[in-house]
Amino acid sequence: MANTEVSFVRTETLPPMAPPIGEQGIVKWLRENLFATPANGALTLVALYVIYVILSGSMPWIFNGVWNTSSLTECREVLDGTRGACFSVLTERWHQLIYGFKYPPDAYWRPNLTFVLMLVAIAPVLFFDLPRKMLIFTAIFPFLAYWLIWGGTIMTPIIALLGVVAGGFVYTRFVASNFAIGFFGAILAALVVWIIGGFMTPDTANENAMLQAVPSRDMGGYMLNLMLGVVCVSLSIPLGIALALGRQSDMPLIKWICVVFIEFVRGVPLITLLFVASVMLAYMFPPGTTTDLFLRVVIMITMFSAAYIAEVIRGGLAALPKGQYEAADSLGLDYPQAMRLIILPQALKISIPGIVNVAVGLFKDTTLVSVISMFDILGMIRGPILGGAAEWNGVYWELFLFACIIFFVVCYGISQYSQWLERRLATDHR
Amino acid sequence: MAEAATMQVSDEVAVTINNMNKWYGSFHVLRDINLTVNRGERIVICGPSGSGKSTLIRCINALEEHQKGSIEVDGTLLSSDLKNIDKIRSEVGMCFQHFNLFPHLTILENCTLAPIWVRKTPKKEAEEIAMHFLEKVKIPDQANKYPGQLSGGQQQRVAIARSLCMKPRIMLFDEPTSALDPEMIKEVLDTMIELAEEGMTMLCVTHEMGFARQVANRVIFMDEGQIVEQNEPEAFFNNPQSPRTQLFLSQILGH
Amino acid sequence: MAILSDPPEGPFRLSMLLSDTRYRSLTLQAITALVLALCLAYLYRNISTNLQAQGLSLGFSFLQDPSGYDINQRLVEYTSQSTHARAALVGILNTLLVAVLACITATIFGVIAGVLRLSNNWLVSKLMAFYVEIFRNIPVLIWIIIIFTIMTNVMPTPRAFRGDAATSSMLFDLFAFTNRGVYIPGPGFSNPFFASVGMNWLLVIAVLVGSFFGARAIGTWATKIQEATGDRPTTWYMILGVWLLPVAILLTVMGLTWDIPALKGFNFTGGIKIGGPLIALWFALSIYTGAFIAENVRAGIQAVSKGQTEAAGALGLRPGRIMNLVVLPQALRVIIPPLISQYLNITKNSSLAIAVGYADITATLGGITLNQTGRAIECVLLLMLFYLTASLLISAFMNVYNASIKLKER
Ligand SMILES: Nc1ncnc2c1ncn2[C@@H]1O[C@H](COP(=O)(O)OP(=O)(O)O)[C@@H](O)[C@H]1O
Ligand SMILES: [Mg+2]
């Protein structure tokens, strides 16, 4: 054999050493990350130039900004020919951008409070680690929010809440024996409570209510975007679940209704659905009734997002291993029980990141209502502020920058949450 | 020892590694590695997970860069020169733990891809070569299937055949059997034994001690990025010197 | 062997409609059908009474009436005397125009940004991440309006190009960016083969299609040679020639001329005018969707595991070949399906044209025609029908594609 020095035993261990100079620290980092090859170096220079152009264009404008004048002409005088932003449009009109131009100013605290409460109500839904008891507040929140924002008599939300409680009571009572009885019984119970409550509330209840009533058409600004986004997404989740289950059903009629609905809604742009809300839906309601535009828009946007959410949930249902369905069946659970107890909790959990993405998309799409002349933040900018009186006619950048930032913060925040959740679910499931 | 002794080891040097060091960032993965491999040698590398075994053999065909010391393969010095890297890679074949077959190509196309584009072999000839090696790993009838349609053991054998199609003079194996079910391990090991018997120079990272005893002419034990012990298999297993080797062997042979 | 047991005999009881698996699904479906029919009947009754109250009736004959409005941006002949149907056609073509343009540029932006985001240049990849996050998280309508505002309020008026003291000048003396739109040189023929301009361009396109097949043939030929000898002939100059020469010859023979926009009086004449709304819509859809495509591209490339690149590298393939032979074929399977749905999104989002007055189908049929004729139901239905058809065509195409690339698994 050729090898004589085959056997070798290390007697003392080598300690770890620092990498050679040039292989560590900032020099190495720069070399590897910015100037690895000549082409890479050139790319770095181009990128630096782009950053320079962006910053040199925007920074002086921002830092030279004027914050306390009452019109564009005044602002221009202060700037005196130098380049700078007239942020005073924001300080002067921020309330219009946020609440629209008709919401009573002395009631601004109501949407503010609602917003804070909303964060509390949503928290337990988004973060599973929070105490489950908080969900009770989440359940009450919609009624509270309705009362705070629209004002009027407190009877309305209370009766609505009572109806739901009655329905829930009937449901839990009877669902154990038969799902259908529980379900329809609950609806019936709620309806009864609402009708009785409707009779009991005096017609004049709104007039001397604790909170001044504000009609929906007075809602506007960013508040309107948030309201539409939150209301429609929340309503569309149950509808989306129903559609997704319907699409999986083995009853052909139900399946096809769901398929047609989902594919139809996903096949048309949201704006056509908003047209339906603004010009067509009026024809479909009984003659003589008028519904407000806000409600009609909510109906259409909810349908729109429900179709997308249904597809996300269908993905979640499909991702569940078939064994889960079989296990549920073999335990002797019937369909509603299997869905409620075994399948949906898991499928929904996987679907949350997808649902959040739909929600972000939908929230951005709420700006489309400005096309059917509702005054959301974009409608406010293009309508009353830029197109109205001459005071601020011509201050585009400041306003658009504000709208961009306010959307970016929310959307980016939500999508970061979704990514965090995705990572977490990925590790949870192992 | 009986079988291994029948396999020829020549005096010709295939791989020389001299004082090689590698860092990941500031983490010192490989420390002062010195190793000479002669042509025809079959070396088994073992050691606890994270000890740098994969990194070591990946340095040999430049999948990882080393920062200090030198690696010479078949007389070609490994440097950042692309020509040298190309030359070395076409001489050195490698099999991965997770096979890494190309899922969008058939088995046959997997095997002919590199000969056609790197060796510039005419297609027909490349296919003949591929079929020859597929027969050798005993799956010629799967040639037109896709990797996803094969079992793990079959996929690993295809991966071996794919490397052999480049007519490498040295083969590197990185835990080729550790992602496989027990009944498939044997079919892959059989293929590797056959390869060894034909005189292929092999460096195998593996914990298949039976394989090491039967085929290897040297076993290397690595820990914390260093070669701790090396010896002929008989001596290595029966009479380990270093306490760390003893501990490791007692852990994997213990049950 | 399975023996089908007869269903247990017994009289039919009404409760079996709900409790027996054989009847329950039928019962439920019957109830659903009934509820659905009732709803539809109810809607129908409401609609017909509401229409009657306004003295209207459903019908599509209004499409044949003269529209009475003008459209600036049009690809086919159209005057205010043309019918509403013609206006809708102009709108459809405009929708397709902006959708196709935006799909092309969005793909270019998206691929560049997606690939650069994976670059090992830290600064460039961060810059691209910044681009993606900024554009994805701000509504596309805001982008459309911002760019439209730039087009109409920041660009100089044509007057600024006039005289010795002109404050603006044309780019390379060929392009004029004004607040009325962008003027670019328009190609024309001094020695055309056909009287109709369209036919000449069709000929050019036919030649280009021929070149496409020529280039493909060269590729096939090169592969044949490679299969036979092992060496792949160098073909890039041949392919370049096949693409350029025939078109160049045709254009020279037909006498290609460029009509360069020039200032006449207070406005530019000559060349092609691309209106501000079109530019705003096109550019905004491109950068917005480009950000999404960038993410798809990045995800697609990252979906190809590092092991694939390493295995190909270990076989001795060069990085360029690894990209072409191993990474791209796999990445494209991941990238193309979401890419097609992005195209679908562009088509649907192009309906936002109405916000800046670009005359697409939504703005013509769903906007002016609807307002002038008051035919809300008909117009909105037709509008939806158009988008639905487009979507179904695109998704049918996607399904075919998905089926054709499905990886074979056990
Ligand atoms: N790309 C990498 N970046 C940083 N550290 C790495 C990388 N690859 C491996 N390591 C580290 O290097 C050490 C050796 O890894 P490896 O060679 O894969 O070990 P083995 O194959 O022996 O299990 C491990 O501690 C591992 O965490
Ligand atoms: Mg390893």
Side-chain angles (χ1 to χ4, degrees):
Chain A
M1 235 194 202
N3 263 313
T4 45
E5 78 292 24
V6 159
S7 110
F8 162 88
V9 182
R10 183 176 290 285
T11 42
E12 85 274 29
T13 341
L14 293 169
M17 289 183 297
I21 305 165
E23 291 293 342
Q24 54 178 320
I26 190 152
V27 179
K28 172 181 150 98
W29 188 87
L30 282 178
R31 183 161 53 78
E32 278 189 356
N33 292 300
L34 295 180
F35 301 98
T37 60
N40 216 320
L43 219 51
T44 305
L45 293 182
V46 172
L48 283 176
Y49 179 71
V50 170
I51 294 170
Y52 167 76
V53 167
I54 294 175
L55 290 186
S56 69
S58 57
M59 284 302 129
W61 181 78
I62 291 176
F63 288 115
N64 201 17
V66 176
W67 290 89
N68 48 10
T69 53
S70 62
S71 74
L72 183 58
T73 32
E74 217 176 291
C75 170
R76 295 236 162 100
E77 272 167 28
V78 173
L79 282 175
D80 197 21
T82 55
R83 241 170 61 78
C86 288
F87 291 120
S88 37
V89 69
L90 302 180
T91 47
E92 218 227 11
R93 295 294 177 93
W94 66 271
H95 52 278
Q96 292 195 347
L97 291 168
I98 302 289
Y99 308 100
F101 60 132
K102 286 197 206 135
Y103 203 86
D106 54 355
Y108 284 163
W109 63 272
R110 283 156 50 182
N112 293 350
L113 179 62
T114 316
F115 182 74
V116 174
L117 292 179
M118 181 188 78
L119 297 182
V120 178
I122 284 187
V125 180
L126 297 186
F127 301 98
F128 311 136
D129 299 337
L130 290 175
R132 297 290 86 190
K133 284 236 174 67
M134 284 176 74
L135 284 171
I136 297 175
F137 178 70
T138 311
I140 304 176
F141 173 74
F143 307 99
L144 191 60
Y146 174 83
W147 182 57
L148 278 173
I149 288 190
W150 274 272
T153 169
I154 199 167
M155 290 299 278
T156 320
I158 287 187
I159 290 167
L161 181 60
L162 282 181
V164 172
V165 169
F169 178 72
V170 172
Y171 177 79
T172 41
R173 189 68 201 282
F174 291 102
V175 75
S177 61
N178 186 323
F179 175 76
I181 294 179
F183 185 72
F184 292 107
I187 292 180
L188 202 68
L191 281 177
V192 168
V193 172
W194 286 334
I195 291 170
I196 295 174
F199 278 122
M200 275 168 36
T201 320
D203 287 343
T204 54
N206 268 350
E207 281 160 19
N208 40 21
M210 202 156 64
L211 295 182
Q212 179 196 352
V214 184
S216 319
R217 62 174 177 280
D218 288 357
M219 318 272 163
Y222 195 58
M223 182 179 88
L224 181 63
N225 295 105
L226 280 174
M227 279 164 58
L228 285 172
V230 173
V231 171
C232 296
V233 169
S234 333
L235 291 179
S236 60
I237 289 175
L239 189 57
I241 295 175
L243 284 169
L245 291 179
R247 196 172 180 163
Q248 285 211 325
S249 157
D250 35 63
M251 292 180 252
L253 181 69
I254 290 175
K255 179 174 173 175
W256 283 109
I257 291 175
C258 295
V259 168
V260 167
F261 178 87
I262 293 174
E263 293 305 325
F264 173 79
V265 170
R266 279 158 35 94
V268 299
L270 177 58
I271 197 123
T272 59
L273 294 178
L274 291 179
F275 281 164
V276 171
S278 74
V279 297
M280 224 171 108
L281 226 47
Y283 288 103
M284 299 188 181
F285 285 116
T289 53
T290 49
T291 25
D292 64 33
L293 183 58
F294 181 80
L295 183 63
R296 283 180 277 156
V297 165
V298 164
I299 294 176
M300 294 319 289
I301 299 187
T302 302
M303 283 168 55
F304 181 75
S305 68
Y308 285 84
I309 287 182
E311 283 301 277
V312 172
I313 294 176
R314 183 164 75 120
L317 287 170
L320 276 195
K322 219 173 147 222
Q324 292 293 321
Y325 291 86
E326 287 163 3
D329 276 348
S330 70
L331 287 175
L333 301 178
D334 64 8
Y335 178 81
Q337 286 171 328
M339 284 298 146
R340 201 159 40 95
L341 302 172
I342 313 269
I343 306 297
L344 278 180
Q346 301 185 59
L348 284 182
K349 207 169 171 186
I350 324 179
S351 313
I352 292 180
I355 293 177
V356 171
N357 286 342
V358 173
V360 171
L362 188 87
F363 179 58
K364 287 185 293 174
D365 279 348
T366 55
T367 49
L368 265 60
V369 297
S370 64
V371 174
I372 54 165
S373 49
M374 285 174 91
F375 290 99
D376 75 322
I377 187 168
L378 208 52
M380 286 305 300
I381 294 177
R382 297 191 84 192
I385 299 181
L386 281 181
E391 300 161 354
W392 294 111
N393 196 341
V395 210
Y396 319 104
W397 303 121
E398 296 79 355
L399 291 167
F400 287 137
L401 184 68
F402 178 71
C404 284
I405 290 176
I406 206 168
F407 269 102
F408 181 82
V409 168
V410 172
C411 297
Y412 184 72
I414 305 179
S415 57
Q416 288 307 99
Y417 161 77
S418 144
Q419 282 170 23
W420 170 82
L421 189 69
E422 226 165 319
R423 280 195 299 274
R424 202 185 126 165
L425 289 181
T427 47
D428 268 8
H429 267 272
R430 264 191 234 123
Chain B
M1 200 66 209
E3 271 189 73
T6 63
M7 298 177 212
Q8 286 300 305
V9 173
S10 77
D11 286 335
E12 209 182 320
V13 174
V15 182
T16 325
I17 302 178
N18 234 325
N19 274 330
M20 194 261 280
N21 281 275
K22 173 167 178 62
W23 286 264
Y24 280 122
S26 59
F27 174 52
H28 201 172
V29 213
L30 295 178
R31 308 177 194 171
D32 268 343
I33 303 288
N34 286 297
L35 181 67
T36 307
V37 182
N38 285 355
R39 194 158 293 294
E41 274 202 279
R42 294 131 341 250
I43 296 182
V44 163
I45 304 173
C46 58
S49 149
S51 56
K53 309 176 298 287
S54 304
T55 312
L56 171 61
I57 65 167
R58 287 156 60 87
C59 281
I60 296 177
N61 69 349
L63 284 179
E64 303 284 353
E65 255 185 300
H66 59 279
Q67 278 98 25
K68 234 173 105 185
S70 68
I71 299 179
E72 207 173 300
V73 180
D74 254 346
T76 314
L77 188 69
L78 193 56
S79 61
S80 54
D81 186 353
L82 276 179
K83 273 218 188 70
N84 285 356
I85 293 182
D86 278 349
K87 184 147 180 286
I88 288 174
R89 283 184 176 176
S90 64
E91 305 251 308
V92 179
M94 176 153 184
C95 286
F96 301 84
Q97 180 176 2
H98 295 288
F99 333 136
N100 294 346
L101 293 180
F102 306 130
H104 62 298
L105 301 178
T106 62
I107 301 305
L108 190 63
E109 287 165 344
N110 262 283
C111 294
T112 56
L113 185 79
I116 288 179
W117 290 96
V118 181
R119 289 251 190 267
K120 309 219 177 300
T121 320
K123 188 174 177 201
K124 222 160 153 212
E125 200 180 311
E127 283 178 353
E128 278 161 15
I129 299 173
M131 284 315 290
H132 167 75
F133 285 110
L134 284 176
E135 263 160 43
K136 229 175 110 174
V137 301
K138 308 197 179 61
I139 26 181
D141 43 331
Q142 314 279 9
N144 289 316
K145 290 199 177 161
Y146 284 86
Q149 296 169 297
L150 265 55
S151 76
Q154 289 173 321
Q155 290 195 38
Q156 192 60 291
R157 283 183 285 150
V158 171
I160 296 175
R162 177 175 74 176
S163 301
L164 293 179
C165 286
M166 287 295 284
K167 306 261 171 75
R169 305 178 65 176
I170 301 164
M171 282 290 292
L172 309 174
F173 293 87
D174 189 359
E175 308 204 20
T177 54
S178 57
L180 296 178
D181 292 338
E183 77 267 23
M184 295 173 184
I185 292 181
K186 186 173 178 303
E187 60 189 52
V188 172
L189 289 183
D190 284 346
T191 310
M192 289 168 64
I193 291 170
E194 212 175 298
L195 206 57
E197 280 165 356
E198 284 168 16
M200 175 68 78
T201 314
M202 291 165 63
L203 275 93
C204 308
V205 174
T206 181
H207 292 149
E208 295 298 331
M209 292 308 151
F211 172 79
R213 277 176 194 275
Q214 188 182 349
V215 188
N217 67 317
R218 246 202 286 173
V219 181
I220 293 180
F221 173 69
M222 283 185 72
D223 193 15
E224 289 186 26
Q226 331 169 27
I227 296 180
V228 171
E229 180 159 357
Q230 72 171 306
N231 214 332
E232 291 175 353
E234 208 66 19
F236 180 86
F237 289 113
N238 298 342
N239 191 16
Q241 302 293 312
S242 153
R244 275 191 281 172
T245 319
Q246 289 160 4
L247 181 66
F248 176 76
L249 285 179
S250 73
Q251 275 165 353
I252 64 166
L253 302 175
H255 40 264
Chain C
M1 212 175 93
I3 300 170
L4 280 179
S5 61
D6 285 331
E9 293 295 326
F12 176 80
R13 280 167 292 112
L14 210 55
S15 67
M16 279 166 68
L17 280 182
L18 273 178
S19 61
D20 191 308
T21 45
R22 284 170 298 169
Y23 304 115
R24 187 164 63 177
S25 101
L26 279 181
T27 321
L28 284 181
Q29 293 188 63
I31 294 174
T32 316
L34 195 71
V35 171
L36 189 70
L38 282 178
C39 285
L40 289 179
Y42 178 70
L43 282 184
Y44 178 77
R45 210 198 53 165
N46 284 344
I47 290 176
S48 54
T49 31
N50 280 327
L51 282 175
Q52 246 167 19
Q54 297 187 17
L56 288 171
S57 64
L58 286 183
F60 292 94
S61 56
F62 73 95
L63 287 173
Q64 300 310 321
D65 299 340
S67 65
Y69 59 91
D70 275 316
I71 300 177
N72 285 329
Q73 178 76 46
R74 53 179 186 254
L75 293 173
V76 290
E77 239 13 80
Y78 172 87
T79 65
S80 58
Q81 303 307 309
S82 309
T83 59
H84 284 296
R86 186 83 180 167
L89 175 69
V90 173
I92 289 178
L93 290 177
N94 281 343
T95 294
L96 296 179
L97 172 71
V98 73
V100 168
L101 288 177
C103 285
I104 295 171
T105 39
T107 312
I108 296 174
F109 289 165
V111 170
I112 293 178
V115 170
L116 285 186
R117 203 173 165 185
L118 290 174
S119 144
N120 44 16
N121 186 313
W122 181 85
L123 197 59
V124 170
S125 83
K126 282 287 172 289
L127 205 58
M128 289 303 136
F130 181 74
Y131 158 73
V132 167
E133 294 302 350
I134 287 287
F135 281 90
R136 276 204 311 180
N137 288 308
I138 293 173
V140 63
L141 187 57
I142 295 189
W143 289 121
I144 294 176
I145 290 171
I146 288 181
I147 296 173
F148 184 64
T149 310
I150 299 180
M151 289 308 299
T152 49
N153 290 307
V154 179
M155 291 292 165
T157 60
R159 194 182 309 197
F161 291 78
R162 247 156 60 90
D164 299 329
T167 47
S168 301
S169 59
M170 292 172 69
L171 186 65
F172 307 129
D173 277 337
L174 297 174
F175 305 95
F177 294 87
T178 75
N179 62 354
R180 300 194 187 174
V182 175
Y183 295 83
I184 61 170
F189 301 111
S190 60
N191 187 18
F193 289 170
F194 303 100
S196 122
V197 184
M199 283 303 287
N200 289 311
W201 283 111
L202 227 53
L203 186 64
V204 173
I205 291 173
V207 168
L208 283 176
V209 171
S211 299
F212 171 76
F213 285 110
R216 287 245 312 234
I218 292 179
T220 324
W221 167 79
T223 309
K224 269 227 179 77
I225 300 271
Q226 184 187 19
E227 284 177 2
T229 67
D231 271 317
R232 192 178 180 86
T234 323
T235 55
W236 63 266
Y237 61 89
M238 295 186 221
I239 290 177
L240 203 66
V242 165
W243 273 110
L244 292 184
L245 273 186
V247 169
I249 292 172
L250 177 71
L251 291 179
T252 323
V253 171
M254 292 209 295
L256 179 71
T257 56
W258 289 99
D259 182 14
I260 294 176
L263 198 58
K264 281 243 177 68
F266 291 103
N267 211 343
F268 280 92
T269 56
I272 296 177
K273 176 190 168 188
I274 310 175
L278 171 57
I279 296 207
L281 197 59
W282 174 15
F283 195 64
L285 287 177
S286 307
I287 47 174
Y288 178 77
T289 317
F292 287 88
I293 294 179
E295 281 301 273
N296 295 336
V297 168
R298 179 175 78 123
I301 296 179
Q302 281 182 334
V304 183
S305 72
K306 221 169 138 230
Q308 293 287 311
T309 327
E310 285 179 352
L315 286 170
L317 288 163
R318 278 285 183 88
R321 286 256 151 58
I322 296 179
M323 199 65 188
N324 280 330
L325 298 171
V326 176
V327 177
L328 276 187
Q330 294 182 55
L332 284 181
R333 286 162 205 256
V334 183
I335 295 173
I336 288 185
L339 187 65
I340 296 177
S341 36
Q342 290 303 341
Y343 291 166
L344 197 60
N345 285 344
I346 287 185
T347 313
K348 288 193 283 181
N349 280 338
S350 71
S351 61
L352 295 180
I354 194 168
V356 289
Y358 174 72
D360 78 329
I361 178 78
T362 309
T364 54
L365 185 65
I368 312 180
T369 296
L370 188 153
N371 286 333
Q372 286 192 354
T373 59
R375 300 281 185 168
I377 298 182
E378 294 92 331
C379 286
V380 173
L381 283 182
L382 282 177
L383 194 58
M384 288 180 154
L385 188 69
F386 166 74
Y387 284 110
L388 209 55
T389 316
S391 308
L392 290 180
L393 283 180
I394 296 179
S395 24
F397 175 76
M398 182 151 76
N399 289 342
V400 171
Y401 175 82
N402 282 345
S404 74
I405 58 160
K406 202 155 174 245
L407 277 185
K408 292 213 173 60
E409 301 276 352
R410 277 211 296 178

